[in-house]
Amino acid sequence: MDSVLFAKWTSCPANSDSGDEATWLHQIGEAIGLLSEALISQNFSTTEIAERVLRCARTLTDSEHGFVSAMNPKTGEALGLAFIGPMDPCLDSAETRKRIFPKAADGSYHGLWGHALNTGKPCLTNHLPEVPYTAEIAPEPGARRNLMAVPVTSDGQLLGLIALERDYGNYEPRHVEAIDRLARLYGFALQRKRADQALREQQRFSEKMANTTQAIMLMLDPAGRILWFNKFMERVSGYTCHEVKGLDWFETFVLAQDKGHVHDLFENAIRDGTTVGNVNAIRCKDGTARLIKWYDSKVVDDEGTLTSLLAIGHDVTETREAEETIRKGLARARALFSISQLALSDKPLDQVMDCALQAVLEMGESVLPKRGMIFLMDDGGKSLRLAASRGRADMASARCITVPLGTCLCGKVAATGEAILAPCMSDTHEITCDDM
């Protein structure tokens, strides 16, 4: 182990330093055991671990004072976490306890403690006045200050510092070796804490991203049960994730007529890994339905075992409604244009009416029957004459060739000049046939 030693050896009083090797190793083992408990448990904070490190270090070295710090990875400052006694006048204020060793303008740290941080190697002195770069640590006249500093490093990365002081009895290389062993364990703890902190920050960032994005994020287990979904899905569906977690996705959200198709797509995504651009409706808490366009991807563990299916959904309800409105508008525009062209043609009136009826029917819903009639008022103004018919049976057309005013629905509309909507057959239909 590399270290920097500044020593002026003198006799020391009887203490733990004079014990035999077996006793010394036993003391080190006890200290490591005490520290290992804090390393294994997830319940100790970084400060609590630092305090335990300092307690073990003082016990092994009979030090009156000491501190343990951790480096701020963003600023490079050595932040004090545990203290016992004033190490030197610069540690007396609350502010300096927060920032023990800020970096100097040249990027280095000052003093004996700073030397250990600069070199990354342990150092000690048993005769302070003979040590360079410690002028700012001014002992009182006649006082002896024995100082030790051991940096905490891992893979060449500076993580912290363990510093100790005592007025009587020299520090020995074995003390440095023992504290260096504690420093390695402490370094492991700091790395784990940093990794845990980085993981928590990543989780918070991922959660914030998931809950900020204006898209549904849904996690299903391989059986199709709900594991999690984000805030946007809560707003769209009306359910909180807590309400439906663990429930079957298909029974809870998928419309009955879509279950078979959507379940097949789910099985395909589980087997092959992706489903791109599928659109289906989901049932919301208030009974309404929303159209969602889905993009799926499998989630596997390190061994390649499937753990869940991640589905990203975009609510396209308003988009589809807007597209339908535009489609209907274009259909109406095409129909009106066709009719206007017919009106300017020299075709016979009955042929114009037939073509106009066809144009009107083509702009309707494709799922509805294409049926309709156009009537013209006869010369006497007492009845309607059938001018064009589409999709009607011959019998219906024959019965409706002439319709007296006020008779049946068409005759009533002609007589009153008011539109009538009849969703089904009723007593108001005075002229009927089997296909109506």
Side-chain angles (χ1 to χ4, degrees):
M1 177 187 63
D2 294 333
S3 62
V4 180
L5 304 179
F6 298 97
K8 184 174 181 180
W9 306 110
T10 60
S11 59
C12 58
N15 51 33
S16 63
D17 298 353
S18 59
D20 59 26
E21 185 69 13
T23 301
W24 174 245
L25 293 176
H26 177 71
Q27 290 174 339
I28 294 176
E30 286 186 336
I32 291 175
L34 182 64
L35 185 55
S36 297
E37 178 189 357
L39 300 181
I40 296 172
S41 173
Q42 296 286 341
N43 299 325
F44 286 81
S45 67
T46 303
T47 297
E48 290 171 333
I49 295 174
E51 290 172 347
R52 184 161 291 199
V53 169
L54 181 56
R55 186 160 64 248
C56 293
R58 289 185 65 233
T59 299
L60 287 173
T61 60
D62 284 342
S63 297
E64 290 93 347
H65 312 301
F67 74 83
V68 174
S69 67
M71 309 303 295
N72 184 323
K74 296 180 180 179
T75 65
E77 296 170 339
L79 307 178
L81 299 177
F83 298 84
I84 296 179
M87 289 293 291
D88 61 65
C90 75
L91 299 178
D92 289 341
S93 70
E95 180 62 24
T96 53
R97 284 177 179 268
K98 293 179 182 177
R99 299 177 58 186
I100 298 175
F101 289 115
K103 277 188 173 181
D106 61 1
S108 65
Y109 302 92
H110 293 310
L112 180 67
W113 320 131
H115 181 73
L117 293 174
N118 293 332
T119 62
K121 298 179 180 180
C123 61
L124 67 84
T125 176
N126 292 313
H127 194 65
L128 185 63
E130 294 184 359
V131 181
Y133 49 74
T134 59
E136 70 273 21
I137 308 177
E140 296 180 2
R144 285 184 52 207
R145 295 181 65 180
N146 304 319
L147 308 174
M148 180 196 307
V150 177
V152 180
T153 62
S154 179
D155 297 327
Q157 182 182 13
L158 185 62
L159 300 176
L161 182 71
I162 301 174
L164 300 166
E165 175 187 346
R166 67 184 188 182
D167 293 334
Y168 300 99
N170 292 332
Y171 286 123
E172 300 176 10
R174 64 172 182 164
H175 294 138
V176 178
E177 293 174 359
I179 303 307
D180 187 62
R181 293 180 66 177
L182 296 184
R184 293 176 188 176
L185 292 175
Y186 179 47
F188 170 79
L190 291 177
Q191 281 189 315
R192 191 190 70 183
K193 289 293 184 182
R194 285 188 180 185
D196 291 345
Q197 177 65 21
L199 179 60
R200 287 193 296 270
E201 290 177 357
Q202 182 61 42
Q203 289 173 335
R204 286 193 294 268
F205 177 77
S206 298
E207 183 177 351
K208 188 173 183 179
M209 284 282 290
N211 289 326
T212 301
T213 185
Q214 297 301 295
I216 293 171
M217 298 184 70
L218 168 70
M219 296 287 287
L220 301 177
D221 72 8
R225 291 183 293 266
I226 299 166
L227 297 175
W228 170 87
F229 54 68
N230 65 347
K231 296 293 184 182
F232 187 79
M233 175 60 179
E234 291 185 345
R235 292 196 296 271
V236 169
S237 68
Y239 290 99
T240 65
C241 182
H242 178 73
E243 286 181 273
V244 296
K245 185 175 182 180
L247 298 183
D248 185 275
W249 165 258
F250 307 98
E251 295 296 327
T252 307
F253 284 101
V254 180
L255 303 185
Q257 63 269 27
D258 295 335
K259 283 182 182 178
H261 171 64
V262 174
H263 197 276
D264 288 344
L265 290 173
F266 173 78
E267 292 294 335
N268 178 70
I270 290 294
R271 182 176 59 256
D272 300 330
T274 57
T275 298
V276 178
N278 169 59
V279 178
N280 68 270
I282 63 169
R283 181 173 50 247
C284 301
K285 190 174 184 179
D286 61 4
T288 60
R290 305 291 295 183
L291 279 176
I292 309 298
K293 189 173 186 178
W294 297 103
Y295 299 85
D296 304 333
S297 181
K298 290 195 300 185
V299 179
V300 299
D301 60 21
D302 292 339
E303 298 179 354
T305 302
L306 176 69
T307 60
S308 58
L309 183 76
L310 171 64
I312 306 297
H314 298 282
D315 187 348
V316 296
T317 307
E318 281 75 20
T319 301
R320 289 297 178 92
E321 290 175 352
E323 291 173 350
E324 183 64 14
T325 300
I326 293 172
R327 187 193 66 78
K328 290 180 178 179
L330 290 173
R332 285 193 295 269
R334 284 193 295 267
L336 292 173
F337 178 76
S338 297
I339 293 171
S340 66
Q341 292 294 100
L342 290 169
L344 297 175
S345 71
D346 55 359
K347 294 179 179 181
L349 182 59
D350 286 355
Q351 186 176 353
V352 170
M353 292 296 100
D354 184 67
C355 293
L357 177 58
Q358 180 180 358
V360 171
L361 292 176
E362 285 179 350
M363 73 178 185
E365 296 292 340
S366 60
V367 296
L368 298 179
K370 301 296 185 180
R371 298 176 179 179
M373 294 179 179
I374 293 180
F375 293 90
L376 296 177
M377 191 74 74
D378 66 2
D379 295 337
K382 295 182 179 180
S383 63
L384 298 175
R385 178 179 63 84
L386 181 64
S389 176
R390 289 273 178 172
R392 304 302 303 172
D394 292 341
M395 183 180 295
S397 298
R399 291 185 178 185
C400 295
I401 289 176
T402 301
V403 178
L405 294 188
T407 301
C408 204
L409 293 185
C410 297
K412 289 181 173 63
V413 170
T416 62
E418 297 179 356
I420 299 176
L421 175 63
C424 62
M425 292 291 294
S426 67
D427 294 341
T428 58
H429 292 81
E430 300 172 51
I431 302 174
T432 62
C433 61
D434 293 340
D435 69 336
M436 291 182 67

